[in-house]
Amino acid sequence: MNTTSGSAPTAEPRPTYWADGTPLSIQLFTVEDSSYGPYVGLPLRDLWTPDSAHLFTRATAEQIVTDLHRDECGMTAEFADDGTLTFTDEHKEGKDSTRTVRPDEHGRYKIGGLWSWDEWGPHVPHTAGQAAFALGAAEYRCTAEKCTKHPDGLDHLYARGREEAHAVSLQRDEP
């Protein structure tokens, strides 16, 4: 607790990052005005904007690339043999037309500033499968007996959401 002269004690601010700089908790993202995702990511800032970069696993980065190509928005992306991911914007010319993202030491990709992110939630049109995946990701820290019941037949999507959240967060539990 902190105290200052003549004031009541205040609680220490809760840390939002591990000592190595890994954010504590995942968040679900979509591309603004789309029904893509949910993409399980780690925000790099407590307060993020639609242009902020977030950390994503290789599997999520691959899904982002698949959705990007499906959208035919004039932007493409490709993985190199060394894992490097290069985005190309066909609407721009010169060195600003490409952005290269190299995975960090844990294989996560810092993606942002290429389109507007939105928080994935009930306002995003989605399927039951997307909802099961999102629920699994959101409940990645719960024990089996405390997890929310999800529709039969979607267990594999729920499990994939949990796995993705564990992978991007490096399987850490919040302190």
Side-chain angles (χ1 to χ4, degrees), residues 78-100:
E78 185 175 11
F79 286 92
D81 290 340
D82 67 356
T84 300
L85 175 57
T86 301
F87 293 92
T88 303
D89 187 340
E90 297 170 2
H91 301 293
K92 293 183 179 181
E93 293 184 23
K95 69 177 187 172
D96 290 338
S97 67
T98 63
R99 171 134 359 131
T100 300

Side-chain angles (χ1 to χ4, degrees), residues 9 16 36-37 115 146:
T16 56
Y36 295 138
W115 52 78
K146 294 190 178 190

Side-chain angles (χ1 to χ4, degrees), residues 2-173:
N2 288 332
T3 59
T4 55
S5 174
S7 66
T10 58
E12 289 285 335
R14 193 168 149 206
T16 56
Y17 296 91
W18 293 95
D20 68 0
T22 300
L24 283 180
S25 191
I26 63 103
Q27 193 163 349
L28 300 173
F29 297 97
T30 187
V31 174
E32 190 174 77
D33 297 324
S34 83
S35 60
Y36 295 138
Y39 305 127
V40 181
L42 281 173
L44 295 172
R45 292 187 171 77
D46 291 336
L47 299 173
W48 57 269
T49 69
D51 291 327
S52 293
H54 311 292
L55 292 176
F56 300 97
T57 65
R58 169 74 184 242
T60 298
E62 288 174 356
Q63 186 60 53
I64 291 168
V65 169
T66 298
D67 291 342
L68 180 68
H69 290 167
R70 185 175 56 183
D71 197 46
E72 298 180 12
C73 63
M75 185 175 288
T76 60
E78 185 175 11
F79 286 92
D81 290 340
D82 67 356
T84 300
L85 175 57
T86 301
F87 293 92
T88 303
D89 187 340
E90 297 170 2
H91 301 293
K92 293 183 179 181
E93 293 184 23
K95 69 177 187 172
D96 290 338
S97 67
T98 63
R99 171 134 359 131
T100 300
V101 180
R102 289 177 177 71
D104 69 9
E105 65 273 14
H106 305 290
R108 300 173 301 185
Y109 292 80
K110 182 178 171 183
I111 302 173
L114 299 164
W115 52 78
S116 295
W117 292 116
D118 190 8
E119 187 171 6
W120 194 91
H123 69 286
V124 177
H126 60 274
T127 66
Q130 286 172 300
F133 179 89
L135 182 61
E139 293 186 346
Y140 75 106
R141 291 187 176 127
C142 79
T143 58
E145 58 275 354
K146 294 190 178 190
C147 292
T148 305
K149 176 73 176 133
H150 47 280
D152 290 335
L154 299 176
D155 294 350
H156 66 290
L157 294 172
Y158 179 87
R160 269 193 35 225
R162 285 182 60 120
E163 290 166 8
E164 193 61 20
H166 277 287
V168 77
S169 67
L170 307 179
Q171 300 188 17
R172 293 178 171 167
D173 288 324

